[in-house]
Amino acid sequence: MTTWDAIVIGAGHNGLVNACYLQRAGLNVLVVEKNDWIGGAAVSRELTPNYLYSNCSYVCSLFRPEIMRDLELPRFGLQVVPYEGGAVFTQDGDYLAAYHDHHAHRRDFARFSKKDAESYDRYARDVTRQCRFIQPLLLRTAPDPASFRPRDLGELIYLGRKFGELSAEELALTIRFWTMSISDFLDEYFETDVIKAYLAISGIIGTALGPMSPGTAYVLLHHYMGEVDGSVGAWGFARGGMGAITKALADSFRASGGTIRTEAEVDRVLIRNGRATGVVLADGEELKAKRVVSNADVKRTFLNFVAEDELPDSFVKSVRNFKMRGSSGKVNIALDSMPEFPALPKNSPCLQGDLHFTDTIERMERAYDDWKDGRWSADPMLDIVIPTTLDPTMVPPGKHFMSCFSQYCPPKVEGREWTDADRDAFAETVISQIADYSPGFRDRIVHMEVRTPREIENEVGLTEGNIFQGELTFDQLLFNRPVPGYAQYRSPVHGLYLCGSSTHPGGGVMGAPGRNAAKEILRDLSRPVKDMSPAHDVI
Amino acid sequence: MGLMRPALLSVAERKAAQGHIHKIKFDTPFQPRLDALMQTHEWYDWAGYRAPHSLWSEELEYFAIRSQSALFDISPMVKYRIEGPDAEAFCNRLTLRDVTKLKPGRVHYTAWCDDSGHVLDDGTLFRLTETRFRLCCQERHLPWLLDGAFGFNVTICEETEEVSGLALQGPTTCALLKAAGFDGIETLKPFDIRDFAHQDGTVTVSRTGFTGDLGYELFIDTRRALSLWDRLWDAGGPYGLRAIGYAALNTARIEAGLIVANADFITAETALRADRARLPDEIGLDWMVDLKKGPFNGRRAIEAARRDGKARFVLVGLEIEGNVPADQAIVYHRKKREVGLVTAAIWSPTAKRNIALATLERPYGDSILNDLWVEIYALRELQYTRLMKRAKVVPKPFVKLARRTQTPPGDF
């Protein structure tokens, strides 16, 4: 029987990134995936003939370019195409557009308020300054502030120096950014409801908080610190859907000699004398390994795969307390023709960007109120993209795939489990909102995939369907993610590591947790990390 | 009483403005005339407008400025109207110079700072009447102006698109304007403003410019803009009038020692790196700071910086050996220690010298003036020739022309 150098649980993007680096470093790595497809939440599946969906995640910005380069992902077909901008439709029949061109962007904001149009530069500067501060932390393991090991002290000094480089104003802004609500933050720059509503979207996506909840300003920052080919804050479509990312990772992994087993659901991690020695699959098969890396979230890993008596009580308590609340749903729609939005000018570039219908922060907050009451939002905040306006590979010419992300959607409906009838009723709130702005929309629908937190949890394995494997609030970031004292990808069980978004620097299709975890594993093996290029400079 | 904010637009007005996206690079009101004259097809983006880099010949256009009359479209310049009983007090609090000394019908070159004393922009402040001002500048400042207007009885409007502008520069410009019917133009002194009749309205003419030469700037209601161009063009033939692009103007402004925001310094509101912001004393604008007047934005910080010797940089004019322009070159002391950067450099056709504007780290350029060098990488047929040339700090402007200030001006 083979004893693998490492078994990675879950073929999501972080699991595959981790496996690629380990395999390239000379380890013999097996990835086990419960589904008969790979990709986790970065997946493209054909659920109706000739239509490829980005079933979960749908746009790409955060995926680290260092990883694409190290793992030769372009060679395996990955191409990320930046998209234009977007629009929010207003209830009075107009829209607010965000455009790629700086001055076109300003002019559209100026249609609503000249002051806001000019405030945008100030706002963008402040956000960019904060991103420049945080971006270098993404590919670094967070220091343990309670440790006196030289590397932790070194990292703490690095953090301290970075703080030291900030001016007094910037430092004040940094602390405010990490603690404020996105609504309060935007109020300091803008006066127009729809402008604030558009900019607030990134503060609540995937988050069980409302735009008026403290902490949502940081969530916005998390969405801004990505890039497409050096264009910071830009978002793009992966050609072939988000599955193209995990497909390229899997091909890269196999090309370097790695093995992937699908339909291999892990039942538990084998532990002997406090040390992980392999996994037991749901069918009882035992797989031996010198170490186990879990791409599953921290709750699934330690509350499902590990016997509680193998873990310290305080650790289990912290894992239970880790906030990972389902707040989002998604409707993927196959369309037989391009939907029309009469409010937009013909051939508007906004159709190639993100589209929304929530034109005030108050409506967003009301949508959150429904979530608190255990219901999906009656008037949801939708984040819609039609990637097929730019990507010719997903559907036949003239046909389209529309991805509709919906905020908010509770993990349980008024305390009980979701039913199929609930799911259909949720989908109806999404469809009817779109149809209000797009006449004839329903007639274009060929097929729909509706995903509430129930489907996301059951299919992808994300607890409660939380897309970030844990809220991105400041109490759960850096050396507190996922659990204080265990923020360096290790766990109380020797040889059992975490590599998913539950760890620093958090969620989004970023790959950074997978890479950082690989670095720590190789450190434990005293192996050089020569195939891992240094993080790009922020200059 | 108090602050007047511009009203938000109605739905109908907003919808009427949607179509801007069909033309990403805006046209100025003079575009039909520029398009007709455009031969080089060298356009550049000036604040979202399609503006000519050159129209027919970069080199020859420059000589229209120094020998005849040159017409340059300045409509993309950002303009704010500041109006009301407290307009003088507001402008005086906003800017560095003493606005109470600026009489109606006069304009001055000024700058304004944030509370840290860092320069937000430089520009010209026109006092059109006792209670009405126009601020012309490169960057956008509406939030800053409106926030600062709290407690002042003023109205502030951005009027960039409503007001079009032309710069008419060169030794024959006074004669040209006389011929075009601008009666009495010769009595206009530098920095004077006067309204002249044009069609059924007026055109506001100031004796200002960005070339260090005799010249005027004309501001007009956008609806009457094209006819103003035509009026000048029709009269201009005998005076050698030529339309020019930015390349020619840039050469003239460097000779005049004039700086450009976000080219020769980074403005405080656009700087991503906090250490890039500059005090007036660090970009050669210390002469503007009027400590005899009352409070103004940044005063305390500027005074403290002067007291503590915290002005770290100095913007100087350099004369450099040889004839190779030193664009973006590093400045060294004793060929070794990096002490600054050249931000603009040309061979000056009028001074016949190799000149540059540079920011140096004090005490270099301030008390240490000897043994300065610039390192020029001259790319010649795919090979760099590295030149280490001696640089001398010299007073600005590099070119000083008597006709710029002479009143009445001569005919050429």
Side-chain angles (χ1 to χ4, degrees), chain B residues 22 51 63 102 114 123 159-160 186 211 239 251 253 284 299 387:
Chain B
H22 295 307
F63 288 99
L102 183 68
D114 65 13
E159 55 177 15
T160 305
E186 67 280 1
T211 58
Y239 304 94
T251 302
R253 72 94 186 173
R299 177 182 179 128
L387 307 168

Side-chain angles (χ1 to χ4, degrees), chain B residues 95-167:
Chain B
T95 60
L96 298 177
R97 295 180 71 181
D98 189 346
V99 180
T100 63
K101 290 181 185 161
L102 183 68
K103 299 295 169 217
R106 294 282 292 168
V107 51
H108 69 201
Y109 172 46
T110 188
W112 48 105
C113 296
D114 65 13
D115 297 347
S116 310
H118 293 134
V119 178
L120 290 162
D121 210 345
D122 62 344
T124 42
L125 182 66
F126 291 73
R127 186 164 200 170
L128 301 170
T129 71
E130 189 65 36
T131 54
R132 188 154 59 91
F133 291 80
R134 177 180 295 145
L135 188 63
C136 292
C137 48
Q138 192 68 27
E139 297 298 322
R140 290 184 171 264
H141 304 284
L142 193 57
W144 180 263
L145 298 176
L146 287 173
D147 291 350
F150 186 79
F152 289 94
N153 191 358
V154 288
T155 310
I156 297 167
C157 297
E158 189 262 352
E159 55 177 15
T160 305
E161 286 178 31
E162 289 77 9
V163 179
S164 302
L166 287 171

